[in-house]
């Protein structure tokens, strides 16, 4: 009778069997007969884990990336050897796997970890994302015109300013006149 770790596997005798990682005790037992004594032989089989694998792509690139705000990053993590956890700066963001996200300007570490399974070791891959500050489109209009103007006394000036990023401050001759934004002002 053939046993593997205590279970009768006589039906597998002579067949190729694929085993998961681990240690197995093979024992063959003969009850003997009128001419031979009973006997048994045991051997250990150790199936070591194969190396795990993992892939991390940032915007379809297997490398560090740099882009300007308000761009987005898509971190795609996968493994054929086990489940993965996607981390950004050490926090689990697995729910954002393969999803475009907008990050504030800054430097970020993305790491993917493939879990250890019965048959595979764990695996890790990391890349960095550098989100640079975006271009701030600042607009200044004087009497509705972009650029300098000439007016005749007692002329007025309507200074309008806006920005897509940050606060806007308007100065006239070095004096803060932000409260006059988009108001018609007569100059003396």
């Amino acid at each position: 009778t053939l046993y593997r770790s205590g279970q009768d596997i006589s039906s597998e005798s002579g067949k190729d069997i694929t085993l998961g990682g681990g240690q197995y005790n093979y024992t063959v037992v003969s009850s003997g007969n009128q001419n031979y004594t009973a006997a048994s032989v045991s051997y250990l089989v150790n199936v070591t884990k194969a190396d795990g694998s993992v892939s991390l792509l940032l915007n379809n690139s297997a490398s560090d990336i740099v882009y300007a705000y308000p761009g987005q990053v898509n971190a795609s993590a996968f493994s054929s050897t086990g489940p993965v956890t996607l981390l950004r700066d050490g926090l689990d963001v697995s729910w954002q796997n393969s999803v475009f996200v907008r990050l504030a300007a800054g430097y970020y570490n993305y790491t993917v970890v493939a879990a250890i399974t019965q048959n595979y070791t764990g695996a890790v891959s990391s890349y960095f994302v550098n989100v640079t500050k975006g271009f701030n489109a600042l607009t200044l209009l004087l009497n509705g015109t972009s650029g300098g103007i000439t007016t005749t006394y007692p002329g007025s000036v309507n200074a309008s300013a806006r920005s897509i990023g940050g606060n806007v401050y308007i100065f006239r001759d070095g004096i803060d006149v932000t409260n006059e934004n988009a108001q018609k002002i007569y100059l003396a």
Side-chain angles (χ1 to χ4, degrees), residues 117-138:
T117 66
Q118 178 184 358
N119 298 321
Y120 295 96
T121 62
V124 176
S125 181
S126 289
Y127 294 116
F128 290 90
V129 174
N130 184 3
V131 183
T132 60
K133 289 185 176 185
F135 175 76
N136 186 0
L138 180 62

Side-chain angles (χ1 to χ4, degrees), residues 4-51:
R4 181 176 55 236
S5 299
Q7 290 204 349
D8 184 345
I9 58 160
S10 298
S11 63
E12 295 178 5
S13 183
K15 297 179 182 175
D16 289 334
I17 302 297
T18 301
L19 298 172
Q23 189 172 41
Y24 303 89
N25 180 344
Y26 276 84
T27 302
V28 64
V29 177
S30 172
S31 60
N33 62 24
Q34 67 185 12
N35 297 318
Y36 295 96
T37 60
S40 69
V41 175
S42 292
Y43 293 114
L44 292 178
V45 173
N46 188 28
V47 179
T48 59
K49 294 180 181 195
D51 290 337

Side-chain angles (χ1 to χ4, degrees), residues 85-109:
T85 301
L86 178 64
L87 306 170
R88 182 176 57 236
D89 293 337
L91 299 175
D92 187 343
V93 292
S94 296
W95 59 276
Q96 293 178 345
N97 192 357
S98 299
V99 174
F100 280 96
V101 294
R102 179 166 289 127
L103 301 173
Y107 201 62
Y108 302 90
N109 169 261

Side-chain angles (χ1 to χ4, degrees), residues 50-55 77-85 97 112-123:
D51 290 337
S53 68
V54 69
S55 295
F78 50 92
S79 172
S80 61
T81 61
V84 297
T85 301
N97 192 357
V112 61
V113 179
I116 297 170
T117 66
Q118 178 184 358
N119 298 321
Y120 295 96
T121 62

